[in-house]
Amino acid sequence: MLVAAWLWAAPAATTAVHEILTHRFDNGLTLHIAPGHPAPVAAVQAWVGVGSADEGPDQAGTAHFVEHMLFKGSGDYGLGELVRTIESGGGEINAWTAFDHTVYHAVLGRDHVDVAVDALGDTLMTPRVDPEELARERQVILEEIRQGSDDPARTVAQSLFATAFVAHPYRRPVIGTAESVQRLTERTLVEFFRSYYVADNLTLVVAGDVDPVRVRRSVERRFRSMPAGRPLRRVSAEPMQTDARATALHRDVTEAHLAVGFHVPAARHPDLAALDVAAILLGQSESARLPRLLRDRDQLVTSAYANVHALRDPGLLVLSATARPGDAQKTVGALVDHGKWLADELTSDELDKARIAAETGFVRQLETAQGRARSLGWYATVAGDPQFGHVYLDRIRSVRRHDVSQAIRRYLQPGNASVAAILPKPRRGAGGGVFARQAEARVRRSLSTKQTTVVAPIEKRVVLANGITLLVRRDPSVPVVAMRAVWRGGQRVEEPVQSGMSTLLARMITRGCGMLDATAVADRIDRLGGSLAGVAGRNSFGVAAEWLARTWQPGFELFADCILDPTLPADELARERRLLVDDQQAQADSPTHAAFRLFSEALYRDHPYARDVLGTAATISTVSRPALAAFYRERYPASALTLSVVGDVDVDEVITKVRARFDRISRAKPAVQPFVSKVERASEGWRAGFDGRPATDREVFAFLDRAQAHLVVGFPGATVDTPDRFALEILVSILGGQSGRLFAELREKRALAYRISAHSIEGVDPGFIAVYLSCSPAKLDEAVAVVRAELERVRVDGVTAAELERARTYLIGSHEIAMQRRAAVANALVYHEAYGLGWQSWSRYADAIHAVKPADITAAAAKYLRVDRMITATIRPPVASPAATKRSLTKPPAPIKSPAPTKPLAPSKVPAERRAAPAPRQKPVRSRGRRP
């Protein structure tokens, strides 16, 4: 008998009630179903109650290794067939391992849920262990470990947990270490699987547009033979910390990555609500205290964050930042000071903002089937109660100032604090031990003082008298509204001396407008429960916003103010110039960015696409307010705008409001026609002259002191309106992805690389096609040879009918998954209109993919994958010639410092643009066990 339950009761008409149906089978398996979704999509997730915290010291990395091996075939599914089966239903499948759980998650079309249940069931019950596959996967995991060692954000997170915990398994990396993974045997993996992959330890979650009765029958049919039994949980008591601890490591980085952690209770503890509110107030928005005060006012840090790692056992509250190396010690003290001061300086207004932020997070999680499934799975597995989300949100709403003050005073104690730092390699003088002792003293000193009805969307296209185009789409299925304003332009309309101006403008456009300064704008955004930021990329510039349905009208007024009346204040401009230059320098720490940068420069030469959207220190550092204002006025007149509004709105009301704000704008054309013509001529000349390049220009190298080599093999690509772009998408899908040829050959068969991907990036001018991988330098030559051989094979032999059908289904399913969010639809509408593709053409994507024939793919491969147009860009550790090594006289080449390329996006959409947030880099400490 199914038991009905409810998650997140509707507060004041803000969120919708979503039904949860729960069934516990005779063997102990628990099934939760969350039916109802406006898109024909479903998510199927298997939450196994085992993670790295259940491993013994000699088993480190076992849970993660088992997760990898379950993709290596099972009783009814051969090697790679699990992925192909899900992708044949238009879906995606992956998995992750955390401290407290392992999750296998699939999202796919609603008509394929039975297939997903069957495939996951077979995988979880009858996995195969082939010794050769185990050996190959061990190499893949070792590559993953090496890749992580190159990431300072991951390294500082692992260092913090290793410092804060001395006995609990949380101190060890979830993935294990190279040494522990090398030691794991087949017997260890099999015994671990048999102990923990049992019915009582498994929670299945199915969410989306599904029939609950059919889902239950399918699960019962597939999982009824799963063995029962409840594994004994590993009890690991962490001794109470009594004094501050600190660790500092030196790496080849340009910034200091810093984190301060405080032990906090487990996920269900009542204090977690107040601690979450504190984290929101300290570092989870632009108006939060740490970024507003330490980054914007004091200019001490380049980014700052706060979050709570809520875990099954007691976790950590983490305050983290990146800073210039000389400010690292001061930053540690400032993080602790501002955390402590929250206990005495909290206002009612700040609490209101935190409550809205928490509520917004809950609402947005309901937008996608996979979001609902992940929330439900986390609450059921980690918190032990699928309805705990309801309880927790009520606790958040009940938090008062004294609750936050008491929590801060209780947990921000010197004997409860741990510090981790990743610092640049010292040229001379003090090492990491000195920094650690100073950090411990600094911490002591600071803390010792005192279900929804689906309504068919309604949409309209309106062109104002001045030429502004407005696209409105009503979709009330979730109380969210997305807005986009876009101009054609971006990097493509910048003169060389203006490189990065569009990105700088995108960062500045919300830093003050009308009568509001930057702080007031950020505060207003948070009070409305929204987001507002500039966006800029290779082909466009614009503004993006999202609001709750009940706040979209004042949100639109703020959105319009930033477009029509940005103040571009001089002090904010100075700050943003400095931060942008900091970001350019910080990108030198990313070998992936460096590889794509090297590739773009070799491919495009004098074309604007060769430059980085961030510009250079030379072009950005001297930009004045008048110059930036003139650039905005001349390149992006308001009358050249394309606007889109999508969500829970009245269409006619939106049109009225847009007319009231934008009708009075005079018609004007962007003053860029001569330059655009020059760019177009350069593009034509670039394509025509490519064949005349010497071969030495087609293989480029640079050196960076990292554990892995990074490779990009690419070709000139398509434009956004090229008819064969859909055939090219299918070709790239067949090559890339977990079931693609490159993944199978490089990772599954040869264990040459951990990360392999293929991309087709279109542009207003021709884009590029690229294969990217990272591998051990010792394996680089073999990896390059395999990539080139696979590209030649697909060019000469074409693709099979089965590959074509699988790629079609995967791309269409991925498109449907990507388009669940109102923001994705707003993007699709506005970019398709701005690029002249037709504002509704995005909805015909499936038809375009279905229309591709094998001959079209063969023609696309012959047209684009030409050996004489191939560019190979390699980033690798420094090497010296044998003679130089013998003489020991020649120093290795200096590391390159290169900005990042435009980020490749999912192939189902027109290339969107980089969001220009003031601190775009990844958070220094990742939330490994954080509540979704």
Side-chain angles (χ1 to χ4, degrees), residues 522-671:
D523 182 78
R524 183 72 170 149
I525 292 168
D526 288 340
R527 290 182 184 283
L528 295 174
S531 63
L532 177 64
V535 290
R538 299 193 310 163
N539 305 290
S540 67
F541 165 80
V543 181
E546 291 182 62
W547 315 102
L548 295 172
R550 63 185 174 90
T551 64
W552 82 262
Q553 295 185 49
F556 170 77
E557 296 298 334
L558 185 59
F559 176 74
D561 285 342
C562 287
I563 294 169
L564 298 174
D565 190 21
T567 56
L568 309 179
D571 58 337
E572 292 294 329
L573 177 58
R575 186 185 71 89
E576 291 298 340
R577 284 199 311 256
R578 176 181 56 78
L579 290 174
L580 188 50
V581 171
D582 286 344
D583 290 340
Q584 295 164 6
Q585 296 171 344
Q587 283 178 157
D589 292 336
S590 170
T592 302
H593 289 151
F596 273 99
R597 179 80 270 116
L598 189 66
F599 168 75
S600 296
E601 291 169 353
L603 178 64
Y604 289 111
R605 291 188 165 186
D606 296 330
H607 191 280
Y609 288 171
R611 303 191 294 267
D612 191 85
V613 292
L614 297 186
T616 67
T619 60
I620 292 300
S621 297
T622 59
V623 175
S624 65
R625 183 187 180 282
L628 189 62
F631 180 80
Y632 182 43
R633 184 173 60 252
E634 294 168 5
R635 295 292 197 266
Y636 305 115
S639 61
L641 260 179
T642 302
L643 293 167
S644 67
V645 180
V646 176
D648 189 7
V649 295
D650 180 272
V651 171
D652 292 332
E653 186 178 8
V654 171
I655 294 171
T656 299
K657 282 197 163 291
V658 171
R659 287 191 184 279
R661 292 303 306 269
F662 290 92
D663 242 347
R664 64 180 182 271
I665 303 299
S666 300
R667 181 185 289 267
K669 290 185 177 180

Side-chain angles (χ1 to χ4, degrees), residues 34 92 223 237 263 363 374 483 499 727:
E92 301 171 349
F223 285 88
H263 292 279
V363 170
R374 180 168 181 170
M483 300 173 185
S499 180

Side-chain angles (χ1 to χ4, degrees), residues 306-584:
N307 53 19
V308 175
H309 293 254
L311 304 170
R312 186 180 65 201
D313 293 335
L316 293 178
L317 166 66
V318 177
L319 312 179
S320 55
T322 56
R324 289 172 291 276
D327 293 330
Q329 200 64 251
K330 186 177 180 181
T331 297
V332 170
L335 289 172
V336 174
D337 287 341
H338 283 277
K340 178 188 66 174
W341 294 338
L342 186 64
D344 299 315
E345 300 175 359
L346 181 58
T347 68
S348 297
D349 284 346
E350 286 182 296
L351 268 181
D352 290 340
K353 287 200 302 182
R355 293 189 189 101
I356 290 175
E359 183 178 325
T360 300
F362 276 96
V363 170
R364 289 182 177 169
Q365 197 75 1
L366 301 177
E367 267 201 289
T368 65
Q370 60 268 37
R372 294 174 62 192
R374 180 168 181 170
S375 291
L376 182 52
W378 191 92
Y379 287 122
T381 304
V382 179
D385 180 2
Q387 302 219 47
F388 189 71
H390 180 132
V391 174
Y392 196 78
L393 191 54
D394 283 345
R395 287 180 180 176
I396 290 286
R397 295 191 187 111
S398 300
V399 169
R400 298 293 180 262
R401 280 184 292 176
H402 69 270
D403 298 318
V404 176
S405 296
Q406 289 177 1
I408 291 293
R409 292 189 176 100
R410 181 175 297 128
Y411 298 106
L412 267 65
Q413 294 290 330
N416 196 38
S418 298
V419 179
I422 304 298
L423 306 171
K425 292 180 179 178
R427 295 180 180 177
R428 63 180 185 274
V434 174
F435 182 94
R437 289 190 295 274
Q438 291 174 347
E440 291 170 353
R442 183 66 178 83
V443 169
R444 292 188 198 101
R445 186 165 62 250
S446 291
L447 295 177
S448 295
T449 58
K450 182 175 172 172
Q451 175 97 251
T452 307
T453 301
V454 179
V455 179
I458 301 170
E459 53 189 22
K460 251 184 208 185
R461 178 180 183 270
V462 177
V463 180
L464 307 188
N466 55 18
I468 293 176
T469 300
L470 170 64
L471 312 167
V472 190
R473 179 181 170 96
R474 170 173 165 76
D475 183 354
S477 56
V478 177
V480 172
V481 178
M483 300 173 185
R484 296 294 184 269
V486 165
W487 290 265
R488 284 182 65 150
Q491 180 183 15
R492 188 172 174 271
V493 300
E494 295 172 349
E495 299 276 6
V497 295
Q498 297 172 323
S499 180
M501 285 273 279
S502 294
T503 297
L504 181 59
L505 178 60
R507 295 184 175 206
M508 284 296 299
I509 201 165
T510 60
R511 302 301 294 175
C513 60
M515 301 298 293
L516 302 178
D517 62 14
T519 301
V521 170
D523 182 78
R524 183 72 170 149
I525 292 168
D526 288 340
R527 290 182 184 283
L528 295 174
S531 63
L532 177 64
V535 290
R538 299 193 310 163
N539 305 290
S540 67
F541 165 80
V543 181
E546 291 182 62
W547 315 102
L548 295 172
R550 63 185 174 90
T551 64
W552 82 262
Q553 295 185 49
F556 170 77
E557 296 298 334
L558 185 59
F559 176 74
D561 285 342
C562 287
I563 294 169
L564 298 174
D565 190 21
T567 56
L568 309 179
D571 58 337
E572 292 294 329
L573 177 58
R575 186 185 71 89
E576 291 298 340
R577 284 199 311 256
R578 176 181 56 78
L579 290 174
L580 188 50
V581 171
D582 286 344
D583 290 340
Q584 295 164 6

Side-chain angles (χ1 to χ4, degrees), residues 71 80 83-84 87 93-95 736-740 743-744 748 756 810:
F71 282 82
V83 173
R84 289 194 290 272
E87 290 184 353
I93 186 168
N94 216 319
Q738 290 188 21
S739 62
F743 189 92
E748 298 291 344
I756 312 105
Y810 171 74

